[in-house]
Amino acid sequence: SATRKPGGSMGSGRLTTSTTMTSTTPTGTPRHRHSYWVSVSCLPSLGSLGQKQKPKTLKGAKLQCCRELKRLLFEDEGNRGSSYGVLVQRRLGESANLYSFLTELQGIVERAVYVRRDTQLPLPLEVFLPLVEEVATCCCHLDRSGSRDNLVILAEDLSSMEYTSRDCLSREHVMSIRISPDYPLVPPKVFTRLPIDFFATPEVFHHQGEGGSARGLLQHMFAQFDKVVQEDLEPFWRAMDAIDKRAWVLEPDPLRPDLSCTHRRILLEKHVSMLVTVSPLDARVAPQISFLGAKSFLVDLEERASRYIFDETRDIVDNLEGMVGKKLPTRNASCSAETKNEEHRAGMCGICYSYEISTASNKKSIPEVSCENKKCGYLFHVECLVEWLQSDQSSRQTFNTLFGSCPYCSDPIICKTASL
């Protein structure tokens, strides 16, 4: 079933689909029932572009899903989760409509659930009994520190569990753990949603128990996870929180915060936004800065930013305001409809209404081509604008350069195709 949230349109709203899927045994007897939710946004729209024909595919649409489904399709590499994720993303861009995509998605999920259930065998007794003792030791340690609720056992044979740690702002971060049948000789698989690769921290697996095995590794991993979340990433959490509270954040979606995201796209003024990328383990140094908007709007900003010297003793927002030479605008719940429209437009592609898309070569693309008309100022992905201009009979091409008209104001616009 598909429902549209109030206040949205088919182009800019969010279609949310809740689907219940049932996997069966080869004999057809129902065995397990799994419920997941998915959300599809940024659907192609006729909107203000005045297209005469409906979009042929859902290219440019974005998919979000619950944590369980994300783990099943995108993260569980041991059960081909990553390959399922690639298939889902490809079919999303190729499907003719939402119904056909959801039908295919249900089939993919049913297959993934079936494969996972059939490949995860119970842990052998010689692994299970020592693991019980090790988990009991971990629980006693957590009891003494008053954090027993941080560990949740998900499987009766202890093959799956989750550990939760809270950062300096009391936000929860989850580490999912899968125990191998060869444990403790083989370390467990770990899945996290942190802004860094948890395995890249040198201390995580530098632990040896009796006989050089990984016995006792669980308690060691819990301690390292707490250290990374509560100490190593504390400056990063505070820096990103300051930006979220004191600036008008366009992406990631403020209503669906992604704590693993290292960037913020901030609204500066009409047609102009700033992309700030912070180093997770060195958040006090100068972040990477880039400005998005029509080139005619960015000349002064880029020149001023190039001369600014970042002060590591000051708050990151104070530095950003010093860099642009004015106080950053903040989000106001009572702002006018015109202001909200400018928020949507700033940095978005004027054709697909998205900021970041995946190209045919699986690379990320952001809007780079702008209309130089100051009253228009729309941005476009190279891929979207090339497709638009090639479908316009009034456009012309010289070698790798397309000459045509802006889809909105009809002023001349130029797009190079070499990057494609």
Side-chain angles (χ1 to χ4, degrees), residues 179-314:
I179 304 296
S180 166
D182 296 321
Y183 184 85
L185 298 177
V186 176
K189 293 182 179 179
V190 178
F191 306 92
T192 65
R193 292 286 294 173
L194 295 176
I196 62 172
D197 183 0
F198 183 57
F199 301 101
T201 54
E203 301 87 357
V204 173
F205 286 138
H206 285 195
H207 169 83
Q208 286 189 342
E210 299 176 3
S213 71
R215 191 178 305 282
L217 178 61
L218 289 180
Q219 185 172 332
H220 175 75
M221 289 176 58
F222 297 160
Q224 290 301 319
F225 189 65
D226 284 336
K227 178 179 180 297
V228 170
V229 170
Q230 299 170 11
E231 300 177 20
D232 298 348
L233 292 176
E234 179 181 355
F236 174 79
W237 303 134
R238 295 194 183 280
M240 304 309 276
D241 184 63
I243 296 176
D244 291 339
K245 289 180 177 178
R246 297 175 55 191
W248 192 317
V249 177
L250 301 175
E251 289 196 31
D253 186 351
L255 300 179
R256 291 179 175 271
D258 182 0
L259 299 182
S260 66
C261 184
T262 61
H263 76 271
R264 294 291 187 271
R265 191 164 65 89
I266 302 171
L267 180 68
L268 294 182
E269 57 186 71
K270 185 178 180 180
H271 306 306
V272 180
S273 62
M274 174 171 60
L275 183 64
V276 182
T277 304
V278 181
S279 173
L281 294 177
D282 208 358
R284 294 188 177 90
V285 303
Q288 295 181 10
I289 302 291
S290 60
F291 297 97
L292 303 172
K295 294 180 181 178
S296 55
F297 292 100
L298 304 183
V299 176
D300 293 340
L301 280 173
E302 291 176 342
E303 182 180 354
R304 186 181 183 91
S306 65
R307 297 197 307 263
Y308 184 79
I309 300 177
F310 196 88
D311 186 352
E312 297 183 10
T313 63
R314 299 177 63 192

Side-chain angles (χ1 to χ4, degrees), residues 1-12:
S1 62
T3 57
R4 181 158 57 92
K5 292 187 177 180
S9 65
M10 290 301 292
S12 60

Side-chain angles (χ1 to χ4, degrees), residues 32-64:
H32 297 284
R33 189 173 183 86
H34 305 267
S35 297
Y36 308 101
W37 68 261
V38 297
S39 173
V40 183
S41 60
C42 300
L43 295 172
S45 169
L46 298 180
S48 58
L49 294 180
Q51 294 171 301
K52 296 181 180 180
Q53 296 181 348
K54 293 183 178 180
K56 295 182 180 180
T57 67
L58 298 181
K59 182 180 180 181
K62 293 184 178 179
L63 175 69
Q64 292 180 315

Side-chain angles (χ1 to χ4, degrees), residues 93-361:
E94 297 174 351
S95 296
N97 53 59
L98 185 61
Y99 178 79
S100 62
F101 168 69
L102 292 177
T103 302
E104 288 193 61
L105 177 62
Q106 182 169 349
I108 293 172
V109 172
E110 287 178 343
R111 176 60 183 169
V113 170
Y114 179 79
V115 170
R116 184 180 67 175
R117 296 295 301 188
D118 280 14
T119 55
Q120 287 186 339
L121 299 176
L123 294 179
L125 195 60
E126 61 271 17
V127 173
F128 176 73
L129 293 180
L131 184 60
V132 170
E133 182 179 348
E134 184 176 347
V135 170
T137 302
C138 291
C139 291
C140 291
H141 178 77
L142 293 174
D143 283 335
R144 288 193 295 270
S145 61
S147 53
R148 173 63 183 85
D149 293 338
N150 290 1
L151 180 61
V152 177
I153 307 300
L154 302 179
E156 294 181 356
D157 64 348
L158 304 181
S159 61
S160 178
M161 60 188 73
E162 288 185 348
Y163 180 76
T164 303
S165 182
R166 290 171 178 80
D167 62 25
C168 55
L169 301 174
S170 299
R171 299 174 303 191
E172 293 186 349
H173 302 266
V174 178
M175 175 173 61
S176 299
I177 303 170
R178 303 287 176 84
I179 304 296
S180 166
D182 296 321
Y183 184 85
L185 298 177
V186 176
K189 293 182 179 179
V190 178
F191 306 92
T192 65
R193 292 286 294 173
L194 295 176
I196 62 172
D197 183 0
F198 183 57
F199 301 101
T201 54
E203 301 87 357
V204 173
F205 286 138
H206 285 195
H207 169 83
Q208 286 189 342
E210 299 176 3
S213 71
R215 191 178 305 282
L217 178 61
L218 289 180
Q219 185 172 332
H220 175 75
M221 289 176 58
F222 297 160
Q224 290 301 319
F225 189 65
D226 284 336
K227 178 179 180 297
V228 170
V229 170
Q230 299 170 11
E231 300 177 20
D232 298 348
L233 292 176
E234 179 181 355
F236 174 79
W237 303 134
R238 295 194 183 280
M240 304 309 276
D241 184 63
I243 296 176
D244 291 339
K245 289 180 177 178
R246 297 175 55 191
W248 192 317
V249 177
L250 301 175
E251 289 196 31
D253 186 351
L255 300 179
R256 291 179 175 271
D258 182 0
L259 299 182
S260 66
C261 184
T262 61
H263 76 271
R264 294 291 187 271
R265 191 164 65 89
I266 302 171
L267 180 68
L268 294 182
E269 57 186 71
K270 185 178 180 180
H271 306 306
V272 180
S273 62
M274 174 171 60
L275 183 64
V276 182
T277 304
V278 181
S279 173
L281 294 177
D282 208 358
R284 294 188 177 90
V285 303
Q288 295 181 10
I289 302 291
S290 60
F291 297 97
L292 303 172
K295 294 180 181 178
S296 55
F297 292 100
L298 304 183
V299 176
D300 293 340
L301 280 173
E302 291 176 342
E303 182 180 354
R304 186 181 183 91
S306 65
R307 297 197 307 263
Y308 184 79
I309 300 177
F310 196 88
D311 186 352
E312 297 183 10
T313 63
R314 299 177 63 192
D315 181 89
I316 186 171
V317 177
D318 293 337
N319 275 288
L320 295 178
E321 290 178 341
M323 184 180 298
V324 300
K326 64 177 183 178
K327 188 175 180 61
L328 297 179
T330 56
R331 184 181 298 272
N332 185 354
S334 60
C335 62
S336 64
E338 180 180 357
T339 304
K340 290 182 179 179
N341 183 53
E342 293 304 330
E343 171 195 3
H344 176 71
R345 286 180 54 181
M348 293 287 190
C349 174
I351 295 177
C352 71
Y353 302 114
S354 300
Y355 169 64
E356 187 177 76
I357 62 173
S358 297
T359 65
S361 57

Side-chain angles (χ1 to χ4, degrees), residues 79-99:
N79 292 311
R80 301 189 298 173
S82 56
S83 62
Y84 286 125
V86 172
L87 176 61
V88 168
Q89 293 291 357
R90 186 174 75 245
R91 294 307 302 147
L92 176 61
E94 297 174 351
S95 296
N97 53 59
L98 185 61
Y99 178 79

